[in-house]
Amino acid sequence: MPELPEVETVVRGLQKSVLGRKILSVWIGKSDFIDNPAEFTRLNGQKIASIERFGKFMLLRLANGERVAEKPLEDAANETASLLVHLGMTGQLAPSAAEIPFDKHTHVSFALDDGRELRYTDPRRFGRMAYLTADLLANEVAGAGADPLEVSAAEFAERVRSRNARIKALLLDQSVFRGVGNIYADESLWRAKIHPARVGSKISAKEAETLRRVLQEILNRAIVMRGSSISDFLDANGEPGEYQRHHRAYGREGKPCYRCRTPIRRVIVAGRSSYFCPKCQPAPRPQKSRRRKSKSRTTSR
DNA sequence: CTCGATCCCTGGACGC
DNA sequence: TGCGTCCAGGGATCGA
């Protein structure tokens, strides 16, 4: 499950291997995960001018030959299109020798000007691809959450403490923080000793700052370790990451907490498996029944 | 605003 | 060996 560190790992690999290459042609197999497959012919002849990560998205900025540099900046910006790639759960984007047969689930292949192919392979097709003009890209980026690695203490606290949703849901919400997924949400909550079902508005300023700090530490460490390979994540070189060895909560149901030896528990929060230590991460107030008090009041309807 | 449910999709784990 | 069933999960969407 590629989250921020995994996507960053793939991006760094692609920067080394395909940056600057020109796309000669595009082959598309199944296309139900592509916004606008018919537009992909526009990629032909374009150069991969930059490769960036935005949350869990990869953005391959394209440049139309050499003409871009000659044009006024604004025109160039308007002409610049991007290929957006989201790996979903099982997506892989990696260069391959053209002679190697397609994997069973290779759905897109870009022929490059050095004879190789950049291939997108995704068994479950939970990923997404789109050819985005500048305005479509702006649209895509609008409404995205804060970058968890860049967010200030004040903004992090604000985004968490102004909400009544559970902290786990907030961490997973890409319009709150972009790039965090189930693994790193659980890992950071364990480290910060915060129960996943705690409500954002009831998290103290101090707890919020602790959470921000450990989240950043964990994400940075995971990037150094080239991500977590828990199911089938492989980077752009086909190599697995190592961070899964450092997981302290995720996937450890029944195993002893690294701090207090209490068995790690798993509950569903925000529709997702959430692993936590019931002792280190105390549950919030029961806050169950909402209809306790003024039952006599009639709701206007 | 927030929730849960449902759907998308396939492979892997598990039970028989 | 071969079924069937359940589960995993990021994100969109819908109804409560």
Side-chain angles (χ1 to χ4, degrees):
Chain A
M1 44 247 14
E3 301 179 25
L4 188 154
E6 290 76 33
V7 178
E8 181 67 27
T9 298
V10 173
V11 163
R12 291 183 183 186
L14 292 174
Q15 285 171 343
K16 287 182 184 166
S17 59
V18 302
L19 187 60
R21 294 270 63 84
K22 187 187 282 186
I23 294 170
L24 300 182
S25 62
V26 184
W27 173 90
I28 298 178
K30 288 185 178 173
S31 62
D32 56 357
F33 61 98
I34 302 175
D35 288 19
N36 46 2
E39 301 286 297
F40 274 39
T41 55
R42 295 181 187 277
L43 288 159
N44 296 347
Q46 298 216 58
K47 197 167 99 174
I48 302 172
S50 77
I51 304 173
E52 308 159 34
R53 180 187 60 75
F54 187 83
K56 296 176 191 172
F57 289 106
M58 290 189 280
L59 288 171
L60 282 67
R61 307 285 187 132
L62 306 162
N64 230 325
E66 304 80 37
R67 294 185 303 128
V68 168
E70 300 165 5
K71 296 216 169 184
L73 201 58
E74 286 180 26
D75 286 356
N78 286 333
E79 280 189 12
T80 300
S82 302
L83 178 68
L84 172 144
V85 181
H86 192 298
L87 298 173
M89 286 289 297
T90 52
Q92 288 174 29
L93 185 66
S96 168
E99 306 82 56
I100 298 175
F102 281 3
D103 179 274
K104 180 182 174 186
H105 298 293
T106 296
H107 307 303
V108 181
S109 179
F110 306 94
L112 304 178
D113 61 353
D114 60 1
R116 292 178 303 159
E117 295 178 352
L118 179 61
R119 295 179 180 174
Y120 180 75
T121 304
D122 185 359
R124 294 184 201 175
R125 305 206 299 286
F126 270 28
R128 179 183 163 207
M129 273 194 180
Y131 179 84
L132 300 179
T133 54
D135 53 330
L136 280 178
L137 175 60
N139 212 32
E140 196 70 44
V141 162
D147 184 326
L149 291 177
E150 305 285 325
V151 66
S152 69
E155 187 180 1
F156 187 93
E158 160 67 18
R159 282 177 178 266
V160 165
R161 301 182 69 215
S162 66
R163 299 287 298 272
N164 289 317
R166 293 159 161 146
I167 185 63
K168 176 69 180 273
L170 293 173
L171 287 173
L172 293 180
D173 187 337
Q174 300 302 295
S175 69
V176 179
F177 302 110
R178 63 179 122 106
V180 182
N182 209 30
I183 294 175
Y184 298 103
D186 280 5
E187 291 300 306
S188 60
L189 289 171
W190 180 85
R191 189 81 74 82
K193 302 183 182 178
I194 297 173
H195 191 284
R198 292 274 304 280
V199 168
S201 61
K202 295 190 175 176
I203 286 176
S204 72
K206 189 178 175 184
E207 287 175 314
E209 178 49 15
T210 298
L211 180 58
R212 182 185 77 110
R213 195 188 73 244
V214 301
L215 175 59
Q216 293 184 346
E217 286 173 1
I218 286 169
L219 292 174
N220 281 318
R221 177 92 69 89
I223 289 171
V224 170
M225 313 278 301
R226 309 177 62 78
S228 300
S229 292
I230 66 123
S231 55
D232 36 22
F233 169 71
L234 297 175
D235 68 17
N237 296 314
E239 303 280 342
E242 297 290 332
Y243 193 73
Q244 67 278 6
R245 297 185 191 175
H246 297 267
H247 291 176
R248 291 291 180 264
Y250 184 82
R252 299 194 67 250
E253 183 177 18
K255 294 179 180 168
C257 171
Y258 276 95
R259 278 188 299 249
C260 73
R261 317 306 293 170
T262 301
I264 294 292
R265 289 193 50 199
R266 181 176 74 98
V267 295
I268 302 297
V269 179
R272 295 286 176 254
S273 282
S274 300
Y275 300 88
F276 69 102
C277 170
K279 188 176 175 190
C280 296
Q281 297 166 264
R285 296 254 158 272
Q287 53 108 228
K288 254 292 183 70
S289 56
R290 48 195 50 170
R291 61 178 78 185
R292 279 276 300 284
K293 279 206 134 169
S294 51
K295 195 182 172 187
S296 54
R297 257 238 299 200
T298 39
T299 42
S300 53
R301 60 209 273 304

